[in-house]
Amino acid sequence: MDAGFVGIDRLVRAGHVEPGQRDRVIFLWDEIRRLKREKNAFLPAHNYQLPEIQAVADYVGDSFELAVRARDINAGLVVFCGVRFMAEGCHTLAPQTPVYLPSLKALCSLAEVDADDVAERQEFLRSLGRNFATMTYVNTYADVKAMSDACCTSSNAPRIAAGLGAPDILFVPDQNLAYQVAIKTRRMYLPPPEANRFHAAEYRAQIEPLIRHGERQGLVGNVFAWEGACHVHHQMTVDDIARIRAQDPQAVVIVHGEVKPELQRAADEVLSTSQMARYVAAHPEKSRYAILTECGLVVRMELDHPEKQFYKPCRLCQYMKANDLESVYETLRDEPADRRITLPEGVRQGAARAMLRMIELAA
Ligand code: SF4
């Protein structure tokens, strides 16, 4: 999406900027724009970023759109308004361009996966004689991406799984998106082992009856889910949806693929963040929505569509909100060495291979 979607008056009226901060925000926007011109800098922003950051960004999108955009970057430097794995992904695909992250606290609970644990799980599947491919959600760090056959995002995960050509998929790390992949590609969903308690014999006893059940049903294969979840989406409950349905049966309920399977089944649509934005824009006849994802996207939808009503069972991600306009400005101005994203070259190349495979299969 092109940025610059909203002016200061609407942000103040909607309560996103305190009236006393109005002049400061205008000053920062002007300075950021001046520095962008002088340094030929590029500012991508994720859909979950604060509205005053989205308003001054050069490009706003979901993880897949940001990855594709990174591949084509032609700039003097990048200040990536998102979380660390996204900035890493940008550096992975644009290694010639310095990439900075405004806040070192912009991390992600889902992305904290140990590469040694992934290697252990792959070895376990080989020991069972499974014909599998490893898919990593882009919400991982580069060392884990480098261990996979392809990355995916919530907008393209089923398509990537279908394109990889293996009956079984080891899906790392989001267990809920793994469910979505299984349903959409006619594979058996194999629930993850308990977090931090992988025990090969126990896990084998847990999954083998399910594998046989899937075989009797004639399914394509299996999706081995990892024991990860986004703490923001995983805390949403079916009661969140039930309350909306009881209050307003006509409201359209849209959930992100990172919510639990029972919510995915209860929703009208399961979409990525940019797909949600496009869905709302494409349906002028539908005026009331409940969007179950991080609140940043819902805030932008309210600003984009003042004529529509949005219920707010959304949740805030503290990592996405670690960046603010001040830190974006300082990073662009000072280019602090500790906020520059770098990777060992071998790891970067491995992650680039998996990300480019995703882009190729998603086309
Ligand atoms: S919303 Fe969830 S997946 Fe996204 S950055 Fe926050 S913790 Fe990570």
Side-chain angles (χ1 to χ4, degrees):
M1 181 195 106
D2 289 334
F5 70 100
V6 66
I8 189 70
D9 290 337
R10 279 185 48 211
L11 288 182
V12 172
R13 270 203 310 276
H16 301 303
V17 171
E18 296 286 327
Q21 288 297 312
R22 190 179 193 282
D23 291 346
R24 180 73 185 154
V25 169
I26 292 171
F27 167 78
L28 290 171
W29 279 353
D30 288 346
E31 281 296 286
I32 289 170
R33 289 185 179 119
R34 178 182 67 77
L35 287 166
K36 279 200 302 184
R37 279 194 304 275
E38 285 178 12
K39 298 188 172 196
N40 185 28
F42 184 68
L43 257 72
H46 188 264
N47 287 318
Y48 293 159
Q49 291 289 286
L50 291 167
E52 60 269 33
I53 291 178
Q54 293 193 34
V56 79
D58 294 303
Y59 184 82
V60 179
D62 64 16
S63 300
F64 180 66
E65 292 166 334
L66 291 166
V68 173
R69 196 67 186 76
R71 190 190 51 176
D72 303 328
I73 277 174
N74 178 14
L77 74 137
V78 171
V79 175
F80 201 104
C81 304
V83 292
R84 186 179 184 94
F85 74 78
M86 295 176 177
E88 260 195 16
C90 183
H91 167 62
T92 297
L93 295 182
Q96 72 288 354
T97 309
V99 176
Y100 295 87
L101 185 66
S103 169
L104 297 178
K105 293 183 180 155
L107 302 171
C108 170
S109 55
L110 178 58
E112 299 297 331
V113 175
D114 189 327
D116 289 342
D117 291 342
V118 177
E120 180 190 31
R121 199 69 52 88
Q122 289 173 325
E123 194 47 45
F124 166 75
L125 293 181
R126 279 186 212 107
S127 76
L128 294 186
R130 305 306 311 182
N131 179 3
F132 71 100
T134 304
M135 274 174 71
T136 46
Y137 195 21
V138 286
N139 302 32
T140 46
Y141 293 115
D143 57 342
V144 169
K145 285 188 175 84
M147 301 179 73
S148 65
D149 294 287
C151 292
C152 69
T153 68
S154 58
S155 66
N156 61 31
R159 179 190 280 252
I160 305 298
L164 278 174
D168 289 350
I169 301 288
L170 172 60
F171 192 93
V172 183
D174 193 280
Q175 58 187 274
N176 299 321
L177 195 57
Y179 172 80
Q180 187 63 203
V181 170
I183 293 296
K184 291 210 169 139
T185 64
R186 292 200 65 252
R187 287 176 165 84
M188 191 72 194
Y189 173 74
L190 303 177
E194 213 177 298
N196 305 318
R197 276 206 66 235
F198 177 69
H199 184 281
E202 279 176 19
Y203 181 53
R204 185 174 181 168
Q206 174 190 330
I207 59 174
E208 281 191 338
L210 293 171
I211 292 174
R212 282 195 293 277
H213 183 60
E215 285 167 353
R216 285 194 295 275
Q217 290 181 301
L219 299 182
V220 171
N222 305 281
V223 175
F224 294 81
W226 192 263
E227 50 271 37
C230 159
H231 74 286
V232 176
H233 291 91
H234 203 61
Q235 64 180 283
M236 295 172 177
T237 68
V238 276
D239 286 346
D240 291 328
I241 295 181
R243 271 193 296 275
I244 301 287
R245 297 270 193 226
Q247 183 184 344
D248 185 350
Q250 299 306 315
V252 182
V253 176
I254 306 178
V255 301
H256 193 273
E258 291 171 14
V259 301
K260 290 177 185 161
E262 57 266 35
L263 278 79
Q264 297 182 29
R265 289 191 290 270
D268 297 310
E269 303 285 345
V270 183
L271 300 173
S272 76
T273 54
S274 285
Q275 287 170 342
M276 291 178 185
R278 284 195 286 273
Y279 183 97
V280 171
H283 290 87
E285 78 287 2
K286 297 180 181 177
S287 61
R288 299 190 305 284
Y289 292 88
I291 311 276
L292 280 80
T293 190
E294 208 276 345
C295 294
L297 180 70
V298 186
V299 163
R300 201 186 77 220
M301 286 183 179
E302 284 180 325
L303 292 162
D304 283 345
H305 302 284
E307 76 287 1
K308 299 191 188 228
Q309 184 181 351
F310 295 91
Y311 299 108
K312 286 207 175 155
C314 61
R315 304 283 197 284
L316 282 172
C317 172
Q318 73 270 34
Y319 301 115
M320 279 287 178
K321 299 303 187 265
N323 300 322
D324 59 15
L325 210 49
E326 228 40 77
S327 59
V328 173
Y329 167 58
E330 287 164 11
T331 306
L332 186 54
R333 183 190 64 195
D334 302 337
E335 302 175 38
D338 65 337
R339 295 186 206 172
R340 182 166 175 183
I341 302 296
T342 57
L343 290 167
E345 182 56 14
V347 171
R348 187 200 66 75
Q349 286 180 11
R353 176 192 45 73
M355 290 185 74
L356 291 171
R357 186 92 193 274
M358 166 184 74
I359 293 171
E360 175 202 333
L361 289 173

